[in-house]
Amino acid sequence: MSQRKASGDSGRATIRDVAQRAGVSVASVSRVLSGNYPVSDELRRRVMKVVRDLDYVTNAHARSLAGGGTPTVAILINNITGAAFTHVAKGVESAASLRGWLTLVGTTGDDPERELALVNLMRQQGVAAVILLGGAYDYDEYQLRMARFARSLDAADSHLVLVGRPPLEGEVPATTVDYDNEGGAYAMASHLLSAGHRRVLVLPGHAELTTAQGRLKGAQRAFEAYGVPLDPGMVRHGPYDYEHGYDAVEESLRQGAAFTAVLAGTDVVAAGAAQALRAAGLRVPEDVSVVGYDDIPLASQLTPQLTTVHVPYEEMGRAALRAVADRRESGRRRVGDADHLVLGTHVVVRQSVRPPSQ
Amino acid sequence: MSQRKASGDSGRATIRDVAQRAGVSVASVSRVLSGNYPVSDELRRRVMKVVRDLDYVTNAHARSLAGGGTPTVAILINNITGAAFTHVAKGVESAASLRGWLTLVGTTGDDPERELALVNLMRQQGVAAVILLGGAYDYDEYQLRMARFARSLDAADSHLVLVGRPPLEGEVPATTVDYDNEGGAYAMASHLLSAGHRRVLVLPGHAELTTAQGRLKGAQRAFEAYGVPLDPGMVRHGPYDYEHGYDAVEESLRQGAAFTAVLAGTDVVAAGAAQALRAAGLRVPEDVSVVGYDDIPLASQLTPQLTTVHVPYEEMGRAALRAVADRRESGRRRVGDADHLVLGTHVVVRQSVRPPSQ
DNA sequence: TTGAAAGCGATACCAT
DNA sequence: ATGGTATCGCTTTCAA
């Protein structure tokens, strides 16, 4: 019944099927296909004909077991739906495919268990690198956890790459591709301050998220630089989503908070904030200015177009992959050897900021 | 120098390393790890200890060569940045990970060459299925091309799944997960017509794209049903992006076209259209109504919130994976056996439609 | 319950 | 330029 290997009938054709049918050795078929070895035209013709007839493709698993194999990188995201992450992923994928590499994607849903499981799964796959995207929750064990990931991957000839979060402390075999998060926030807040705003509602994000921490710190530094006190009551933490932006503004308004501008942690939060302002009969930017962070497409599609901080997400993705590829080519480097890359950010001035009216 | 296998030092630890160090056979280690075989507690303890010490994970390539292995599905997208696709991908990924499956992602950039290369690459990987996302360009060879993909994959014990596009003609071993594209457009157009709109600017998308064709056809049917002639000059084709929406409206206005509503092919196009209307001093929806299609988050984040057609993208992704998984479990089915699934769509009424003012 | 050994499909070294 | 074959790491009979 289940006569396996009856005649290359069921399942995929193997290199042996091709060899047999072409009347040559498997070694020859392998040579023709990899193309990195001198082969007679006659042989090549014979083999390729059969390859086409059988619609043969080599078994990637066997190949990578035997030596060769397509390098693969894994990218782990919290939520594939986030526009910012999506652009990093695009950068990684495009740079990978440019080199003929494959990209695996896994989503963690902010679940440490799942993150661990995925890192191990990727290790099993023998990926060239695991790229972790997005800000991290800075809980106690975080550093240890990441250090463990890094060492595990390193021991398996793989590599850990952190994108969009601060580098790890100590001598850990990991690469970080980050952006000037705090600097961007500093510039954005300064933009608001120099326009004359003094009372601004700040929505940095979750207090434990590294990106939110950086953005808040940048804003605080700007306020200090301008000698303007930043009322702690004007800082509201919450998730990076539309609802949070909306709710935070609505609530502040209800509590009678007086502010002439909103400094949001992301463009999506800014969108929610703007909507809440409008719902309260306030005009943006005539009555209240609103700024975001990230510069995702949404920012320029809103009305008014959002003034925000541009983060080179796609470029970060490309940089991450380049770092991995370089490291492969030039043999592994020593720990701590230029493992940290920081890309610049800058304010994109659009239409959502005006000097305070009164 | 390059003494390989000196002592399981360099590279990943193998099952042999574990066996040796635990003083048992590789077979036993394999049994302990796969857990699908009776094993003494003592043995298990010994093996697991070493596994932890060595931080060992099995080599997925070797495993899948030998028989077992993690099922993997590939999802091929034109542009990973599109919000709609992203949600399908999320559905696929979540359903996959629920079963312990892996997800590979590749982007084609609308390039047939690359699409072919990717399908073959995925075939090499021995994926359980290749999921093609998004509308297709209905050029001549399309059907033949897809049929070839389908047969190739089928012959390799894999499977082709088409998501968001019409099913293939004839007896082709492929599964289609689609949504009622035309029906949604019909309902959306009817909504506009029943509100009293008679002159509406239609921006269905690229004329060759199957989704655009369906959306246009649905709209046309609605106009017919209402006995309202749809001026061909009021239909403008173009890409599914913000710029197209903006430009199309701007140009129509410049040419003096008179319309009281815009029926856009996607939410993003609608966003562009709305922006252009505002730029021209027209209010939405007081002066001109605007509707979209897809119901991506953007739709409810715009001002005014967009009335649009909801498409269950994430659910489609889940359905696609379920179809593949079912097919695996229950052995392959015969060609043409309930290979076509169509999910419903419906209008989501929000704030961007008003009866025409005059 | 445990071990030995035969593949799985491809690569690359060693002969010819 | 070609062919034979050991090998990659693991799973799975087949014996013990």
Side-chain angles (χ1 to χ4, degrees):
Chain A
M1 262 310 237
S2 69
Q3 256 308 65
R4 187 112 177 72
K5 278 300 89 183
S7 66
D9 173 7
S10 136
R12 292 160 70 166
T14 72
I15 196 174
R16 206 128 46 200
D17 298 329
V18 176
Q20 216 156 32
R21 195 143 152 177
V24 303
S25 74
V26 293
S28 296
V29 176
S30 175
R31 289 185 186 116
V32 169
L33 289 163
S34 33
N36 49 17
Y37 211 84
V39 164
S40 79
D41 279 5
E42 166 59 10
L43 207 178
R44 156 166 294 108
R45 212 184 336 270
R46 289 247 295 284
V47 169
M48 289 313 288
K49 164 115 176 54
V50 176
V51 164
R52 270 190 300 272
D53 287 355
L54 263 43
D55 198 14
Y56 168 86
V57 289
T58 80
N59 181 321
H61 298 299
R63 182 202 289 253
S64 76
L65 228 204
T70 311
T72 303
V73 290
I75 122 173
L76 266 36
I77 321 189
N78 286 329
N79 176 359
I80 200 177
T81 277
F85 298 160
T86 276
H87 284 91
V88 178
K90 181 179 185 179
V92 170
E93 213 280 339
S94 69
S97 75
L98 210 65
R99 296 171 165 77
W101 290 26
L102 271 176
T103 308
L104 270 166
V105 172
T107 63
T108 63
D110 276 326
D111 176 4
E113 295 283 350
R114 190 154 162 60
E115 186 183 59
L116 172 58
L118 277 171
V119 168
N120 279 330
L121 197 58
M122 297 314 177
R123 203 148 55 98
Q124 293 182 20
Q125 300 292 321
V127 298
V130 171
I131 301 178
L132 249 39
L133 292 196
Y137 287 93
D138 195 13
Y139 56 96
D140 281 356
E141 294 183 74
Y142 174 72
Q143 290 282 338
L144 280 74
R145 180 185 184 74
M146 288 303 134
R148 216 171 310 140
F149 283 172
R151 283 189 244 282
S152 259
L153 290 166
D154 187 70
D157 285 334
S158 184
H159 192 61
L160 178 67
V161 182
L162 269 24
V163 172
R165 57 176 80 174
L168 299 176
E169 297 157 7
E171 294 271 297
V172 181
T175 297
T176 303
V177 176
D178 203 1
Y179 54 96
D180 185 9
N181 189 31
E182 192 178 325
Y186 180 90
M188 189 74 263
S190 299
H191 181 72
L192 243 29
L193 288 160
S194 77
H197 293 280
R198 289 299 175 265
R199 299 217 28 103
V200 356
L201 178 64
V202 182
L203 312 176
H206 262 136
E208 303 78 20
L209 199 60
T210 54
T211 47
Q213 293 169 348
R215 290 172 195 193
L216 177 55
K217 198 188 284 180
Q220 288 170 327
R221 269 187 35 224
F223 274 80
E224 279 169 30
Y226 273 75
V228 176
L230 174 57
D231 178 357
M234 292 292 274
V235 176
R236 284 168 177 267
H237 292 280
Y240 277 153
D241 60 29
Y242 184 87
E243 286 68 32
H244 168 57
Y246 193 100
D247 296 346
V249 163
E250 189 181 45
E251 217 169 292
S252 297
L253 252 23
R254 189 160 4 99
Q255 298 174 353
F259 52 89
T260 61
V262 179
L263 180 64
T266 71
D267 293 335
V268 173
V269 171
Q275 184 75 291
L277 288 167
R278 254 175 246 116
L282 264 18
R283 291 163 306 166
V284 177
E286 292 80 357
D287 300 319
V288 179
S289 293
V290 174
V291 298
Y293 205 116
D294 280 351
D295 195 24
I296 61 176
L298 171 69
S300 54
Q301 295 173 5
L302 290 173
T303 311
Q305 297 192 335
L306 209 58
T307 288
T308 186
V309 176
H310 179 77
V311 180
Y313 284 115
E314 194 168 333
E315 190 181 335
M316 285 168 65
R318 272 183 266 119
L321 194 108
R322 205 180 312 128
V324 175
D326 286 353
R327 170 174 255 277
R328 280 232 141 183
E329 285 173 9
S330 60
R332 349 213 24 220
R333 308 235 180 91
R334 263 155 278 99
V335 169
D337 185 2
D339 283 345
H340 188 197
L341 200 60
V342 180
L343 303 193
T345 53
H346 61 265
V347 170
V348 179
V349 177
R350 286 201 266 253
Q351 315 163 335
S352 63
V353 174
R354 290 269 181 92
S357 44
Q358 48 162 236
Chain B
M1 261 311 237
S2 70
Q3 259 303 68
R4 187 109 177 73
K5 279 297 91 182
S7 67
D9 172 8
S10 137
R12 291 161 71 166
T14 73
I15 196 174
R16 205 128 47 199
D17 297 329
V18 176
Q20 215 158 31
R21 196 144 151 177
V24 304
S25 74
V26 294
S28 296
V29 177
S30 174
R31 290 185 184 116
V32 169
L33 289 165
S34 31
N36 48 17
Y37 210 84
V39 164
S40 79
D41 279 6
E42 166 59 10
L43 207 179
R44 157 167 294 108
R45 213 186 334 273
R46 290 247 295 281
V47 169
M48 290 313 288
K49 163 111 176 57
V50 176
V51 164
R52 270 190 300 274
D53 288 356
L54 262 44
D55 198 14
Y56 169 84
V57 289
T58 79
N59 181 321
H61 297 298
R63 183 200 289 252
S64 73
L65 225 203
T70 311
T72 303
V73 291
I75 123 176
L76 265 36
I77 319 187
N78 285 331
N79 175 0
I80 199 177
T81 278
F85 299 160
T86 276
H87 284 91
V88 178
K90 182 180 185 177
V92 171
E93 213 281 338
S94 70
S97 75
L98 211 65
R99 296 170 165 77
W101 290 25
L102 271 177
T103 307
L104 269 167
V105 172
T107 62
T108 63
D110 276 325
D111 176 4
E113 294 284 351
R114 190 155 162 59
E115 187 182 57
L116 172 59
L118 278 171
V119 168
N120 280 331
L121 196 58
M122 297 314 178
R123 203 147 54 98
Q124 292 182 19
Q125 300 292 319
V127 298
V130 171
I131 301 177
L132 248 38
L133 291 196
Y137 287 93
D138 195 14
Y139 55 97
D140 281 354
E141 293 184 75
Y142 174 72
Q143 289 282 340
L144 280 75
R145 182 187 183 75
M146 288 304 135
R148 216 172 309 141
F149 283 171
R151 283 189 242 284
S152 258
L153 290 166
D154 188 70
D157 284 334
S158 183
H159 192 63
L160 179 67
V161 181
L162 268 22
V163 173
R165 59 175 79 173
L168 299 177
E169 297 156 8
E171 294 271 298
V172 181
T175 297
T176 303
V177 176
D178 204 2
Y179 55 95
D180 185 8
N181 188 30
E182 192 178 324
Y186 180 90
M188 190 73 264
S190 300
H191 180 71
L192 244 28
L193 287 159
S194 77
H197 293 280
R198 289 298 173 267
R199 300 217 26 103
V200 357
L201 179 64
V202 183
L203 311 177
H206 261 138
E208 302 78 20
L209 200 59
T210 55
T211 48
Q213 293 168 349
R215 290 172 194 192
L216 177 55
K217 198 188 284 183
Q220 288 170 326
R221 270 187 33 225
F223 274 79
E224 278 169 31
Y226 273 76
V228 177
L230 175 57
D231 177 357
M234 293 293 272
V235 177
R236 283 168 179 267
H237 292 281
Y240 278 152
D241 60 29
Y242 184 86
E243 285 68 31
H244 168 58
Y246 194 98
D247 296 345
V249 164
E250 191 182 43
E251 215 168 293
S252 298
L253 252 24
R254 188 157 8 96
Q255 299 174 352
F259 53 90
T260 62
V262 178
L263 179 64
T266 71
D267 294 337
V268 174
V269 171
Q275 184 75 291
L277 288 167
R278 256 176 245 113
L282 265 18
R283 290 163 307 166
V284 178
E286 292 82 355
D287 300 320
V288 179
S289 293
V290 175
V291 298
Y293 205 118
D294 281 350
D295 195 24
I296 59 175
L298 170 69
S300 56
Q301 295 174 3
L302 289 174
T303 311
Q305 296 190 336
L306 210 57
T307 288
T308 185
V309 177
H310 179 75
V311 179
Y313 284 115
E314 194 168 332
E315 192 182 335
M316 287 168 63
R318 272 184 263 119
L321 195 108
R322 206 180 311 126
V324 175
D326 287 353
R327 167 174 257 276
R328 280 231 141 184
E329 285 173 9
S330 61
R332 349 217 20 222
R333 306 231 182 91
R334 263 157 280 96
V335 169
D337 187 3
D339 283 347
H340 188 198
L341 200 61
V342 180
L343 304 192
T345 52
H346 61 265
V347 170
V348 179
V349 176
R350 286 201 266 254
Q351 316 164 336
S352 62
V353 174
R354 291 268 181 91
S357 44
Q358 44 161 237

